[in-house]
Amino acid sequence: MQTGILAFGGYVPRARLQRQVIAAAHSWFTPALKGLGRGERAMANWNEDSITMAVEAGRDCLGGQGSSGLDAVIMGSTSYPFKDRQNAGVVADALTLGSDLMTLDIGGSQRAGTSALMAALQLGGSALVVSAEKRRTKPGNPLELTTGDAAAAFHVGQGDVVACYLGGASRAVDLVDHFRGENGEFDYTWEERWVRDEGYLKIVPDTVAKALQNAGVTIDQVSTFCFPVPSARIASAVARKVGLAPEALADNLQGSCGEAGASHPLVMLAHTLDNADPGDIILVVGFGQGSDALLFQVTDAIRGQQGKGGITGCLKQGYREENYHKFLAFNQLIEMEQGIRSEVDKNTGLTTLYRNKDMVQGLIGGRCTSCNTKQFPKSNICANPECGRFDSQVPEPFADKSAALNSFTGDGLTFSPNPPHYYGMVQFEGGGRLMSDITDVTPDAELKIGMSMRMVFRVKDYDHQRGFRRYFWIATPA
Amino acid sequence: MATGIKDKVAILGMGCSRFGERWMDNAEDLIVEAYSEALEDAGIETSEIGAAWLGTGIDDQHVGKGAIPLATTLRLPYIPVSRVENFCASGTEALRGATYAVASGACDIALAVGVEKLKDTGYGGLPQRGRGTVNDLFWPSLSGPGAFAQLASAYCAKHGVDAGDLKQAMAHISVKSHANGARNPKAHLRKPIDVETVLSAPMVADPLGLYDCCGVSDGAACAIVTTPEIARALGKKDLVTVKALQLAVSSGAEAQHNSWDGSHLVTTRKAAARAYAEAGISKPRDQISLFEVHDCFSITELVTMEDLFISGEGQAVTDVMDGFFDADGSVPCQIDGGLKCFGHPIGASGIRMVYEMYLQILGRAGQRQRSREPVFGMTHNLGGFPHQNVASITIVGREGA
């Protein structure tokens, strides 16, 4: 039995903010940003965060909700929505993975993604690794242009792996190239040239050498190198230093997505696997106060999992966003006048949430054991007027059902961070319906009666007063 | 076997405040304005009232909870007073309470008051508010216009109606109501408009523009009811009696079961069928003289024409464009301007509608008086959203009709 990656998935939000509009907005102050003003960066919608993106990547990886037999869900990120509430736990709950597992948040470094993957591989059981980043960046900082929002997920364990884990290594070096302090909103970064010379070019080669030794692989056997820096020049220099031709570097997705922080090595790995051939050896490196390096060898089983969506699929589904102002508003980087309607108290009763957790976080409805009617939410008495049986319902998951749009509107009156607010009646295949918020209505997607919809896990409301946010499942054009 | 309410209760007096943005008036001022008119019309003293009902929708915006605000405002002398709330049917619920009390013999004379003071929020439209702790976890962030706007998309899909043709008919409805409201001195909006104005207005919730939405108003309305015998003993001659009072509330099937297509109101159809049976009306299109419906939005009025069985299914666009519901048409709808222009102080609206029917039947509607003598007047309220709501219907008419 081999240990390695059993399945993989990824997620990139659909909006792609054009970097030239960012650079143009700052040209009066920081004209040097013009050099970064090419390509596009993935931009999370207002209702997306690292938890929701991790859920989408997890669904892509596991083929939907409700996989059984997982021993752990491990998340890696530096942009957790909650400092004290286990983020991996919310992901596990939305994926309806049950309670009989370990959940773990790994953070504190740009290595969080690779460290989560390494920890899961060393754990020995069957684990889901999710990593998602939505980094807040200061307007005008180069990171605003070079970063992007994205997520990746890996099911690791023993069995018919698509990529066998050959081995890896870690080095801890407290080189502070940047940091975000306890109450810091943004990264504070030091000079790039120093980070290149003393950081990337010294720490990474040592780590890679150790990993190669542990894996029993020589550098010339490596076919692809996933190295998550935005700068092609730095990546090439590091590749040469470890003994690889720059052609071995995997696409760092700088042109189409941007660097997704701690998630980026995993995003690049998922993207590489989308197009890898059996036998390929992939080197993945994470960098941040030291370095992680992991080596995988792709197996024949990879063919069964390619072309099903993932990072490659998401990258094809982007649409051009040219409104930099919207990006600032979505990330609370400017204080918008939202009107008195936005002042409605969004307090969540934590007792209410807990009691209704399956319904809210899992989108679990009901199925009548008497008449087989499916409905959402589940209720004491069947919704079918012809039935009306008491206490006849068993849980019925709705999140992965396809649905059709029955009626809809675009509402400019009700409060929305991204007006008009779309919602409508969606009717699930096999029965059941929901008057649902509708999200990600892209400029090219006109809503039509009867059109196919799917459900996605999103932030429903932000309670800015208390720092809480509640999640729910929302319809989007399929 | 239930025999219904027909002709068991007569209207002794009614009153209605001027509706509108009553910036300098509290809800209590509006109540007194409507009550004074009703009391004078009834020709009785407050001490003769045996029980009272207060209908309000959004009490936390004005009077607060309970019935005490009504009792203290009108100095009701320690009689039973109840407060009822059932969304936009709250006023009709108050009337229902008072009417049933008289019919049951529990009291001789009963009072129904509906009031709403909405213009204290700081913004246009209805107050944005929570929907309940569990509902807030999964309901969409919806508004009234957004919920009702969806009738349009579903109606077009079901009947194969072109969205542009539907929008034209909706515009005709609003233009008609503005023309009617212009002749009503108590109406909130009194300016006639043209179709072009409606079609070019800013969008509120697609396809509803600004002029597809009713006025959000402050106002109060009031009814004093008694038995026909007592009314006659008090000197009343031409009695207007209650013919039917029906209510239908969603069972949750529309919201949860795939049997509803979203193009009509299940509740209105149920309530209408029962109301016609109670009133002994078999051909509503021929027998109803005029009616007031819950035109919170133009599309609501349009589908309601079918839900009340006045227009055939899929035929409302044709009837509207033919002027069937205009003030000089076959069956005028919203002859007082409707919610659209008389205004919509939620709790007052149901009673305001009956007030208009009462005035019309007695020939007291002034400039907007229907020339053909009205026999049956019908009113209709819808509270909530099309997928889960309360529908109420009242039919009043000449005694013996």
Side-chain angles (χ1 to χ4, degrees):
Chain A
M1 289 265 276
Q2 290 182 306
T3 295
I5 296 167
L6 292 159
F8 62 98
Y11 177 73
V12 184
R14 298 189 67 180
R16 303 299 146 75
L17 183 60
Q18 302 302 302
R19 289 200 184 94
Q20 62 183 23
V21 301
I22 310 175
H26 298 311
S27 62
W28 64 279
F29 193 83
T30 317
L33 290 176
K34 194 181 175 190
L36 296 172
R38 294 183 308 274
E40 52 193 25
R41 57 152 294 165
M43 166 181 151
N45 205 342
W46 70 270
N47 54 14
E48 293 187 288
D49 61 20
S50 55
I51 284 181
T52 69
M53 293 192 293
V55 170
E56 278 307 300
R59 292 173 84 193
D60 185 52
C61 172
L62 299 173
Q65 273 185 323
S67 287
S68 57
L70 284 167
D71 302 308
V73 175
I74 303 178
M75 182 162 178
S77 180
T78 69
S79 51
Y80 285 115
F82 290 95
K83 283 183 182 171
D84 190 347
R85 175 195 181 185
Q86 195 150 62
N87 298 276
V90 184
V91 174
D93 208 51
L95 293 171
T96 61
L97 299 177
S99 298
D100 196 14
L101 44 74
M102 179 181 88
T103 52
L104 177 62
D105 288 343
I106 294 177
S109 163
Q110 291 296 299
R111 269 196 290 147
T114 46
S115 298
L117 184 55
M118 202 173 258
L121 287 160
Q122 288 170 5
L123 200 67
S126 170
L128 177 71
V129 177
V130 290
S131 183
E133 284 273 45
K134 183 187 170 192
R135 291 166 85 182
R136 280 187 91 225
T137 51
K138 201 181 267 185
N141 187 293
L143 285 172
E144 187 179 38
L145 291 98
T146 58
T147 57
D149 307 322
F154 297 88
H155 179 197
V156 302
Q158 289 79 45
D160 192 12
V161 298
V162 299
C164 175
Y165 181 52
L166 302 176
S170 257
R171 278 175 64 78
V173 183
D174 189 28
L175 178 138
V176 190
D177 61 315
H178 77 283
F179 66 91
R180 204 185 312 152
E182 186 183 15
N183 296 313
E185 278 191 80
F186 305 105
D187 290 1
Y188 188 85
T189 53
W190 214 250
E191 188 180 356
E192 196 183 51
R193 294 171 62 84
W194 168 67
V195 181
R196 179 194 62 191
D197 294 347
E198 295 299 317
Y200 293 126
L201 286 168
K202 288 191 177 160
I203 298 169
V204 173
D206 287 353
T207 317
V208 169
K210 200 169 135 195
L212 289 166
Q213 194 182 355
N214 290 346
V217 173
T218 56
I219 191 67
D220 56 313
Q221 290 177 278
V222 171
S223 23
T224 312
F225 180 21
C226 296
F227 188 61
V229 292
S231 160
R233 273 185 298 121
I234 293 177
S236 295
V238 172
R240 280 194 207 92
K241 191 79 183 279
V242 302
L244 284 170
E247 291 72 39
L249 285 164
D251 182 356
N252 68 356
L253 308 176
Q254 190 54 210
S256 53
C257 171
E259 185 225 340
S263 305
H264 208 56
L266 274 54
V267 168
M268 288 176 70
L269 173 59
H271 182 242
T272 298
L273 289 172
D274 282 337
N275 304 295
D277 293 317
D280 283 358
I281 291 181
I282 302 169
L283 168 65
V284 186
V285 164
F287 178 85
Q289 302 86 49
S291 178
D292 295 327
L294 299 89
L295 285 147
F296 296 94
Q297 183 160 31
V298 179
T299 73
D300 292 338
I302 192 75
R303 293 301 184 216
Q305 284 202 30
Q306 289 174 326
K308 66 179 174 68
I311 296 291
T312 303
C314 286
L315 288 176
K316 286 181 191 152
Q317 291 185 328
Y319 71 91
R320 289 170 67 89
E321 177 60 68
E322 296 185 346
N323 191 339
Y324 172 60
H325 195 264
K326 194 182 267 191
F327 173 80
L328 293 177
F330 284 6
N331 290 283
Q332 279 93 53
L333 293 164
I334 49 169
E335 192 174 353
M336 293 283 290
E337 174 54 75
Q338 296 189 312
I340 303 177
R341 284 180 181 279
S342 69
E343 294 170 10
V344 174
D345 194 344
K346 303 289 189 187
N347 192 11
T348 300
L350 300 179
T351 42
T352 322
L353 174 62
Y354 185 66
R355 198 163 61 234
N356 296 280
K357 194 163 66 71
D358 290 348
M359 168 185 103
V360 176
Q361 290 183 173
L363 201 70
I364 303 295
R367 180 177 63 82
C368 178
T369 50
S370 178
C371 73
N372 205 36
T373 293
K374 294 164 181 98
Q375 64 170 74
F376 188 90
K378 189 166 165 273
S379 61
N380 301 103
I381 304 173
C382 180
N384 178 6
E386 311 284 304
C387 175
R389 188 70 69 92
F390 281 60
D391 300 324
S392 64
Q393 299 201 10
V394 293
E396 171 78 12
F398 276 81
D400 295 322
K401 291 179 190 280
S402 62
L405 188 59
N406 261 31
S407 64
F408 66 91
T409 189
D411 188 338
L413 183 69
T414 194
F415 168 69
S416 167
N418 188 21
H421 184 63
Y422 292 97
Y423 50 97
M425 185 68 90
V426 295
Q427 188 154 306
F428 296 96
E429 202 171 21
R433 52 170 50 185
L434 177 66
M435 182 60 78
S436 171
D437 289 313
I438 300 174
T439 190
D440 295 13
V441 180
T442 58
D444 55 329
E446 196 191 339
L447 294 181
K448 285 194 179 73
I449 301 291
M451 78 188 292
S452 182
M453 309 291 282
R454 66 185 291 265
M455 304 305 289
V456 290
F457 188 71
R458 293 293 171 95
V459 175
K460 170 130 181 64
D461 286 304
Y462 291 95
D463 178 359
H464 294 297
Q465 199 181 332
R466 302 171 189 86
F468 194 73
R469 56 188 67 181
R470 53 189 177 214
Y471 297 92
F472 187 53
W473 293 81
I474 290 170
T476 188
Chain B
M1 187 67 186
T3 53
I5 201 77
K6 187 179 180 183
D7 286 337
K8 289 177 181 167
V9 177
I11 298 172
L12 191 59
M14 291 199 78
C16 184
S17 77
R18 184 171 58 78
F19 283 11
E21 291 166 326
R22 302 285 301 260
W23 304 117
M24 295 305 289
D25 291 304
N26 290 326
E28 290 79 359
D29 300 319
L30 303 169
I31 290 174
V32 171
E33 188 175 319
Y35 180 66
S36 303
E37 183 187 348
L39 203 59
E40 192 187 337
D41 182 28
I44 59 163
E45 300 294 327
T46 295
S47 58
E48 295 175 72
I49 294 168
W53 275 259
L54 168 66
T56 57
I58 308 175
D59 58 275
D60 48 345
Q61 285 286 338
H62 48 98
V63 294
K65 298 245 174 282
I68 301 160
L70 181 65
T72 54
T73 299
L74 299 183
R75 305 294 176 198
L76 300 175
Y78 297 93
I79 60 169
V81 187
S82 306
R83 187 223 155 189
V84 289
E85 184 278 316
N86 218 346
F87 279 119
C88 298
S90 299
T92 302
E93 282 285 28
L95 180 64
R96 190 160 161 263
T99 302
Y100 280 16
V102 167
S104 74
C107 68
D108 288 337
I109 299 176
L111 169 70
V113 174
V115 68
E116 214 74 48
K117 172 73 195 171
L118 293 171
K119 298 305 297 180
D120 267 341
T121 56
Y123 52 87
L126 290 177
Q128 189 115 8
R129 59 200 191 279
R131 314 283 185 186
T133 50
V134 177
N135 294 337
D136 282 343
L137 297 177
F138 78 100
W139 280 23
S141 174
L142 80 177
S143 72
F148 280 91
Q150 294 178 50
L151 286 168
S153 58
Y155 186 92
C156 286
K158 182 179 185 184
H159 297 295
V161 172
D162 175 74
D165 292 345
L166 184 67
K167 182 85 181 168
Q168 283 284 342
M170 286 156 59
H172 184 105
I173 285 170
S174 296
V175 169
K176 172 264 297 169
S177 292
H178 271 265
N180 295 349
R183 292 196 299 270
N184 183 350
K186 287 185 176 177
H188 180 171
L189 304 171
R190 303 200 57 204
K191 200 175 122 206
I193 54 167
D194 57 19
V195 169
E196 186 44 44
T197 305
V198 180
L199 296 179
S200 60
M203 197 61 85
V204 174
D206 192 19
L208 302 177
L210 184 63
Y211 287 96
D212 291 297
C213 306
C214 74
V216 169
S217 327
D218 305 326
C222 179
I224 298 170
V225 294
T226 188
T227 62
E229 294 72 31
I230 294 171
R232 269 189 291 275
L234 286 168
K236 298 284 174 186
K237 291 192 175 68
D238 299 321
L239 293 190
V240 175
T241 57
V242 179
K243 305 292 183 185
L245 250 175
Q246 287 292 335
L247 196 76
V249 180
S250 292
S251 69
E254 302 101 297
Q256 284 192 286
H257 192 253
N258 292 354
S259 47
W260 178 62
D261 62 21
S263 72
H264 66 280
L265 277 294
V266 176
T267 52
T268 298
R269 293 183 181 194
K270 297 279 188 196
R274 285 203 292 266
Y276 293 140
E278 187 172 33
I281 289 172
S282 54
K283 293 178 179 164
R285 191 178 169 99
D286 301 328
Q287 289 176 269
I288 295 292
S289 313
L290 70 183
F291 62 141
E292 294 286 323
V293 303
H294 201 81
D295 57 328
C296 47
F297 307 101
S298 55
I299 185 63
T300 322
E301 180 169 332
L302 187 133
V303 303
T304 299
M305 300 303 99
E306 298 178 15
D307 293 339
L308 291 173
F309 311 115
I310 304 288
S311 295
E313 224 180 293
Q315 297 304 307
V317 170
T318 306
D319 277 346
V320 165
M321 296 309 286
D322 286 349
F324 189 85
F325 305 112
D326 293 355
D328 59 356
S330 303
V331 187
C333 184
Q334 328 297 62
I335 201 163
D336 64 0
L339 299 178
K340 176 77 193 79
C341 293
F342 203 139
H344 185 25
I346 299 172
S349 285
I351 300 176
R352 180 275 297 169
M353 294 173 169
V354 175
Y355 172 76
E356 180 66 13
M357 297 297 97
Y358 172 75
L359 293 183
Q360 290 282 349
I361 291 167
L362 293 178
R364 285 163 41 182
Q367 205 191 342
R368 64 185 186 279
Q369 178 63 46
R370 171 75 169 166
S371 50
R372 211 182 298 163
E373 213 171 72
V375 178
F376 288 113
M378 175 165 63
T379 71
H380 160 261
N381 293 113
L382 266 181
F385 310 110
H387 67 288
Q388 45 195 31
N389 64 83
V390 179
S392 65
I393 290 173
T394 308
I395 300 175
V396 295
R398 293 176 181 284
E399 189 188 21

